[in-house]
Every structure is written in structure tokens, then in C-alpha cells.
Amino acid sequence: MSIIDWIIMLGTLLGIVAYGVWKTRNISSVKSYLLGDQDLPWWTIGLSVMATQASAITFLSTPGQAYESGMGFAQFYFGLPVAMVFLCIFVLPIFYKLKVYTAYEYLETRFDLKTRTLTAVFFLLQRGLAAGITIYAPAIILSTILGWGLNTTIFFIGLVVIFYTVMGGTKAVSVTQKQQMIVILGGMIFAAIVIVLRLPEGIGFSEAVNISGKLGKLNVVDFKFDLSNRYNFWSGMIGGVFLFLSYFGADQSQVQRYLSGKSLTESRLGLLFNGILKVPMQFLVLFVGILVFVFFSFVQPPIHFNEANLRKLEGTPMTADLEQLQAQQNPLFLEQREETRHLLTAIKANDEGEIEESQQRISALHEQDKDLRESVRGLILQADPAAKTKDTDYVFITFVMHYLPIGLIGLLLAVIFSAAMSSTSSELNALATSTVIDIYRRSLVKDRSDHHYLQASKFFTILWGVIALAFAVTADLFENLIQAVNIIGSLFYGVILGVFMVAFFQKRVRGKAVFLSAILGEIAILLIFWASNSDIWVRLGDSWYLFKVAYLWLNLIGCFLVMLLSELLQLFFRK
Amino acid sequence: MPKLDPEKDPILLGDDPPPPLFKSWNQMYFFVLLLHAIIIALFYWLTQAYS
């Protein structure tokens, strides 16, 4: 990487951090520290909400996902605008009326202290583990690309985030996120423009869209209802609404963003801004992946995108095998490139028969290419059985490092680091706020000075930062860790959402019923999860079925269980 | 901490000012959802037109 890229990357990152620290230098009360003076306009709230959700993995993995499977992932976000409208109508007015610091505080006014504490603890458990992953996951890829040690990368991201989050609290998080989001959106738009400009002569934007469409990559919307298909219109609109209601309505890392608004109006506009912009932004990120796919249809891509994995083969007996596979890929790529040009000619001539034949030939060539890539993965696993051979997360960053001009490489790396920092800072800030407001000040150390709680908030931000760092540096010791954290999230999210849904809509239900329902609901969810992983067969009629519930469904089941149990238990308690 | 009784003290929606550009929040929400529907329709057109 050139010195100019280093200057741009570090200058952008440190400039944003310095701006955030300077803007929040006069913070002196716990309210300012945790609610950021509540003076933020809607666009800062909207960008901050988007930056919290968009982690670095969004910008590393999503283009790779489009490169491999097309645009269908955009449907995952279809429920988000509906969830935003729901929150604006039913949730925000209550939080504003009660002037709460945390979402869980509301549960005490609606139910009781034990329900508030229980949901806060569920949040701390789930988000505390996730914070480590938010640092660890992009650090693996960035350390490979930059040639830094994994722990160096983890500490670089973690310490910078801890520094400015501790210094300026919520306001520092929000003002830095506004700048970070501007860098992120600007960087991705620049990247898209440059990819189009770097396409070979005769291939422009329109040709790129035509080619990717005919090769099945522009499959954005699929209306077919299919439970086994993870991304279709219905899963996005039904499952997505529940997922985003729980994430934006009951996860303090998001709630804290919009509670720092100047007024209810500004917070509502911020959420609606997110509702309008999120789907197009995700479309843009996926579309960048599609453009990279078209680019690599004309410029030969590496046989495996993770260079660190290929280096594992150097000096081993498998080197000769790799060279042989590479020798097979070279003519295959040339044939594929010619066929893609042929497809384009057929598209321009509007020759449907020729288009179809060309699509079939390219599809067959892609299959051969896939086989070669699979063989390379096999070689890597022979050299290192513990190696992670899935390389789609490296597609976009490989393009950035090898084909973007000097200057833009630094900007795009700043995009990825900014995304990692913005989501981590929100998490640490929310964890510290919930710890201080829901546990420490409420139940452990009461009636102390404002200064004491300000210092406690800073201390807990550091403590959660250290826990996240410790988790991140030891993460590679655990197998399937990221999936494990996602599962842990699904084990708690549904129950937390259920408690909030009861609070908002089941007005007869009181604290005792909802608290017991949350406990019973959580036990039921843990049992379902255990049964799903224990090869248990159940008999329905004359047939036997393997009991298996995918963990994403636990959100929905947990929520409905708590709502139903609360209603039943309330009837019992009234008697 | 003061208790919120949802049966006596329902969600207060009445006294916040209307949003910019629209006369009421309901119109604003309708606009957001309509825009979302248009975006999905555009995506669907893209899927059909280029597949």
C-alpha cells in the first residue's frame, strides 16, 4: 500500500476521532454523557442509527455475497421500513414521555424492577459477547490484507474506539458516526464509479447490467413463498419486521441513538430517514459486488481470493498441484471471457436463441471454474486442516487492493475501519449505559453524586471495552464462534421483544405475569434449542420427524411464547 | 419510580408537532411506506427486465 493511502486511511480515521473528542470536550454530567444533551438533529440520528447497524462485515461480506449469489440478500431488509413506522407510532412517544435513558427503564414504570433487571441482563449477556465479534470478524480479514498481526489489528480498532467512546460518551459516538457514515457512503459510491470506469473498452454501465442480469445476478425480488429459501420477499417482510422490531426497539445500542434526539419529531424523522435509506444503501453495497463480478468476467480473478491461504501452500508438496490447477484456470478464463463478449453481442442483437445458448455455455464454464476452486480449497485444507477456505469475504477487498487507484484504496480501507469502529462504539456505549442505569445506579449503588455516576459510566465503558478486546483476541480458540454468537442473540432477542410487546399491547398484564413468562419463555427457548441439536425424533400421526428448529425462528417463537404465557398467567393471578 | 398504568394512561400521541412537508404524521408514514413499495416495484422490474 502506498504512503498516500496510509495518509488518507489514518488521516480520515484519526481526523474523525479527533473531531469527536473535540466536539464533546465539555461533557460534565451523566445525562450529557449518556444521552448526549439530547440536541441531535434528525440527519445525525439517522446516520448514527445506520452506522450502528452497518458493521465492517457488511462492507466486506455483502459484495462477496452478491458476487457469488446475486442480489437476493436485499430482501432481508424489506421489513425494516415497516418496523421503523411501527416504532415511530407506538414506541418513541412512550420513551420520550417517560424521559428514559434505556429501553429497559420503561419496563419498570410499566411492570416492576425485576422485569427491568431481567431484560437488561439478557441484553448485556447478548450484546457483551457480540461486541467482541464486531471487532474480531473484520480484524481477521484486515490483518490478512494489511499484513498486520491479528492482535495488532484488534487492538488498533479496539483501543481507538474505547478512547473516544470513554472521552465523549453518547455524543462522541453519534458525531463520529455521522462523519463515518459520510465516509462509508461516499467511499462505496466512489468505488462503484471507479469499477465502471475500469471495465474494459466497450463495456459500460448498461452492458454490465445486461451481462449480470443474463447471468442470474440481478435476482433482487423473489415472490415465491418457500420456507427453505432464506431470502425471499415473504421472509424479508414477515421475519424481517420481527427481527428489526426487536433490534431497533429493544436493543439499547440502537435505542440510545434515537433517544439522543433534540425532540420526538427529530427522533422520528431520524428513524424514518433510516427506513427510507437503508434498503437503497444495501442495494448499492450489493450492486458493487455485481460490478466486481462483471469486472472479473473480463480481468482474470485469482484462483482463490484469500492470499494468506495460498501462502500456506508455498514450500509444500501441494505447490505443484496448485500450479497445475492454475494452468487449467488460465484457458478456462479466456474461454469464459470470449463467451461473455459473445453473450453481449447476442444481447445487443436481441437474439434470444443465441442469448440462451450463450448463457448455458457460460454456466457450464462457471461450473468448471467452481470445481477448480474447490480443488484449491482441498489443497489448502491438506496444508492446514484448520484453515477457513470460504473466500467470498475477500472478493471485494482483493479488488480494492489490486485494482483501485492510489488514494481510493486508503479511502476504502477507512470505510471498513470506520464501519468496525462505529458499530463497536455504539455497543460499548450502550453496554455501559445499561450497566450504570439499569443495574449499578438502580440496584447496587444508589443516591450518589452525578459526578460519581459519570465516572462510573466511563469506568464501565472501559470495562466492556476490555471484555470485548479479551473476547476478540481469544476468539480464534473457539470453533464456529460467530455462529455461536448469532445463536446466543436469537436465544434472548425473542423473549426481550416479547416482554416489550406485552408492555405495549397487552394492557391488562402486570409485572408478576410477564416476569414469570419471560423466565418460562427463556427456559422453553433453551429447551427447543437443546432438542434441535440432540437428534430427537417426534411422531406426528404415522410419521416420524426429526425435531429441528432453525435458530432464526427462535426470535419469533420466543416473542409469541412470552405474549401468550403472560396473558394466561395474568388470568390465573387475577383469580 | 412513578408507575405507568396503561389502562389509564395510554400512549400520548396528540401533542407533538406535525412533521415537515406533511400535515400529519400519518401522511409521513404513508409516504415512507409508499416510497418503500415503489422501491420494491423497481427492484421487481429490474429482476424481470434483465433476467
Side-chain angles (χ1 to χ4, degrees):
Chain A
M1 200 161 86
S2 76
I3 187 79
I4 295 173
D5 288 316
W6 279 108
I7 292 170
I8 289 178
M9 184 184 90
L10 293 174
T12 308
L13 293 175
L14 299 179
I16 292 172
V17 170
Y19 174 76
V21 171
W22 179 76
K23 280 283 278 188
T24 53
R25 64 196 181 284
N26 295 326
I27 297 252
S28 58
S29 73
V30 75
K31 192 178 178 200
S32 296
Y33 191 77
L34 299 181
L35 287 177
D37 289 329
Q38 291 187 299
D39 61 353
L40 297 180
W42 62 268
W43 59 86
T44 304
I45 297 167
L47 290 172
S48 179
V49 163
M50 288 175 81
T52 296
Q53 193 184 12
S55 69
I57 281 296
T58 307
F59 300 94
L60 289 165
S61 290
T62 311
Q65 197 166 355
Y67 180 94
E68 193 171 71
S69 320
M71 303 279 291
F73 182 58
Q75 296 168 109
F76 179 77
Y77 294 91
F78 279 3
L80 190 143
V82 180
M84 293 301 102
V85 168
F86 183 96
L87 293 173
C88 286
I89 296 173
F90 296 108
V91 178
L92 258 70
I94 295 181
F95 286 169
Y96 262 87
K97 180 177 178 290
L98 298 175
K99 297 183 171 52
V100 292
Y101 282 71
T102 74
Y104 319 111
E105 214 177 335
Y106 157 65
L107 296 176
E108 185 177 355
T109 62
R110 172 66 178 84
F111 298 123
D112 49 33
L113 175 61
K114 60 182 183 299
T115 308
R116 170 187 178 177
T117 308
L118 181 73
T119 45
V121 168
F122 281 169
F123 163 73
L124 294 174
L125 274 173
Q126 171 228 337
R127 190 49 63 186
L129 291 173
I133 291 302
T134 315
I135 302 174
Y136 170 73
I140 301 172
I141 299 166
L142 290 166
S143 63
T144 307
I145 295 298
L146 294 170
W148 294 359
L150 178 60
N151 287 350
T152 310
T153 316
I154 288 170
F155 279 108
F156 174 72
I157 298 172
L159 292 178
V160 173
V161 171
I162 292 171
F163 171 69
Y164 73 79
T165 311
V166 170
M167 293 299 286
T170 293
K171 200 166 185 179
V173 172
S174 297
V175 294
T176 49
Q177 281 181 326
K178 183 171 74 172
Q179 318 294 331
Q180 285 159 340
M181 207 56 211
I182 291 168
V183 171
I184 287 169
L185 287 175
M188 291 310 280
I189 291 169
F190 263 125
I193 294 169
V194 171
I195 301 168
V196 174
L197 294 175
R198 299 215 67 157
L199 289 170
E201 213 176 313
I203 312 289
F205 180 77
S206 153
E207 287 77 11
V209 173
N210 269 309
I211 291 168
S212 53
K214 294 295 178 204
L215 295 179
K217 299 290 180 188
L218 291 183
N219 50 345
V220 196
V221 185
D222 179 4
F223 281 111
K224 194 178 163 205
F225 186 81
D226 179 2
L227 279 176
S228 63
N229 181 2
R230 198 183 288 176
Y231 306 123
N232 60 44
F233 175 83
W234 305 107
S235 67
M237 285 306 285
I238 301 168
V241 169
F242 275 89
L243 181 70
F244 293 121
L245 276 179
S246 47
Y247 177 54
F248 287 98
D251 189 312
Q252 181 63 18
S253 64
Q254 281 294 0
V255 174
Q256 197 154 359
R257 307 280 69 77
Y258 55 77
L259 283 185
S260 53
K262 205 188 288 179
S263 64
L264 175 59
T265 298
E266 298 292 325
S267 294
R268 276 178 166 158
L269 290 173
L271 278 190
L272 295 177
F273 174 76
N274 176 46
I276 292 171
L277 218 64
K278 180 70 188 180
V279 177
M281 186 195 93
Q282 214 57 41
F283 179 86
L284 169 72
V285 178
L286 284 162
F287 196 71
V288 166
I290 295 295
L291 291 172
V292 172
F293 168 80
V294 176
F295 178 84
F296 280 134
S297 295
F298 295 98
V299 175
Q300 187 166 359
I303 197 159
H304 184 81
F305 282 99
N306 183 350
E307 288 174 22
N309 273 349
L310 290 180
R311 281 197 292 273
K312 288 177 182 165
L313 297 177
E314 286 171 10
T316 69
M318 280 79 82
T319 314
D321 297 327
L322 178 67
E323 282 169 5
Q324 200 185 352
L325 290 170
Q326 185 67 66
Q328 288 177 48
Q329 197 214 21
N330 295 341
L332 187 66
F333 169 74
L334 294 176
E335 202 180 333
Q336 204 174 284
R337 185 169 67 181
E338 273 318 295
E339 199 52 59
T340 309
R341 284 198 183 278
H342 185 74
L343 172 68
L344 190 58
T345 313
I347 293 170
K348 282 182 176 166
N350 207 12
D351 183 342
E352 286 297 332
E354 198 52 45
I355 290 173
E356 205 171 311
E357 281 178 26
S358 185
Q359 281 174 314
Q360 284 170 5
R361 285 195 292 269
I362 292 175
S363 175
L365 291 168
H366 280 172
E367 283 304 312
Q368 288 179 45
D369 185 66
K370 216 185 256 181
D371 290 343
L372 288 179
R373 289 173 183 278
E374 203 49 54
S375 303
V376 173
R377 288 193 191 107
L379 291 180
I380 293 164
L381 285 174
Q382 277 182 50
D384 176 9
K388 304 268 186 302
T389 57
K390 187 174 172 284
D391 62 342
T392 45
D393 290 351
Y394 292 82
V395 172
F396 180 55
I397 197 76
T398 301
F399 173 82
V400 168
M401 298 305 285
H402 293 283
Y403 298 102
L404 284 188
I406 287 175
L408 208 52
I409 296 175
L411 181 67
L412 261 293
L413 284 170
V415 165
I416 293 159
F417 273 112
S418 292
M421 289 176 178
S422 63
S423 36
T424 310
S425 63
S426 283
E427 288 173 330
L428 297 186
N429 185 227
L431 286 164
T433 304
S434 187
T435 309
V436 171
I437 301 297
D438 295 315
I439 313 278
Y440 183 78
R441 190 175 76 171
R442 182 66 189 87
S443 301
L444 300 178
V445 182
K446 296 178 182 178
D447 303 322
R448 299 290 290 269
S449 67
D450 191 73
H451 180 74
H452 174 85
Y453 292 118
L454 176 64
Q455 294 306 112
S457 302
K458 292 185 175 183
F459 168 77
F460 281 114
T461 308
I462 296 173
L463 184 68
W464 280 111
V466 170
I467 291 171
L469 276 178
F471 194 56
V473 293
T474 53
D476 60 342
L477 299 177
F478 308 103
E479 281 196 18
N480 297 324
L481 186 121
I482 295 176
Q483 194 177 334
V485 169
N486 283 335
I487 292 169
I488 289 167
S490 294
L491 292 179
F492 294 116
Y493 253 163
V495 171
I496 296 177
L497 179 65
V499 173
F500 276 92
M501 293 298 262
V502 172
F504 292 130
F505 299 112
Q506 290 168 248
K507 293 176 180 170
R508 289 181 310 153
V509 177
R510 294 291 186 261
K512 202 170 169 186
V514 79
F515 180 76
L516 271 175
S517 303
I519 302 254
L520 291 172
E522 195 52 60
I523 292 170
I525 288 292
L526 292 172
L527 281 174
I528 293 170
F529 177 69
W530 169 79
S532 293
N533 291 284
S534 304
D535 287 340
I536 291 175
W537 291 80
V538 285
R539 189 173 175 175
L540 287 177
D542 292 333
S543 309
W544 286 87
Y545 296 91
L546 180 65
F547 185 83
K548 196 120 196 123
V549 179
Y551 68 85
L552 282 173
W553 287 105
L554 298 178
N555 293 305
L556 205 70
I557 297 169
C559 177
F560 278 117
L561 260 180
V562 173
M563 292 175 78
L564 184 71
L565 284 172
S566 297
E567 203 63 50
L568 293 174
L569 286 172
Q570 187 61 40
L571 283 175
F572 175 76
F573 287 135
R574 277 200 175 171
K575 282 177 188 170
Chain B
M1 196 169 256
K3 274 278 170 218
L4 178 75
D5 186 338
E7 284 177 344
K8 293 177 191 157
D9 188 14
I11 302 165
L12 296 178
L13 288 171
D15 54 356
D16 49 309
L21 303 174
F22 294 95
K23 283 181 186 167
S24 71
W25 280 102
N26 282 345
Q27 286 182 12
M28 183 79 194
Y29 301 143
F30 179 74
F31 169 74
V32 172
L33 296 176
L34 180 71
L35 207 61
H36 185 46
I38 292 170
I39 289 171
I40 293 175
L42 279 173
F43 288 169
Y44 185 67
W45 169 80
L46 190 77
T47 306
Q48 295 299 309
Y50 289 93
S51 63

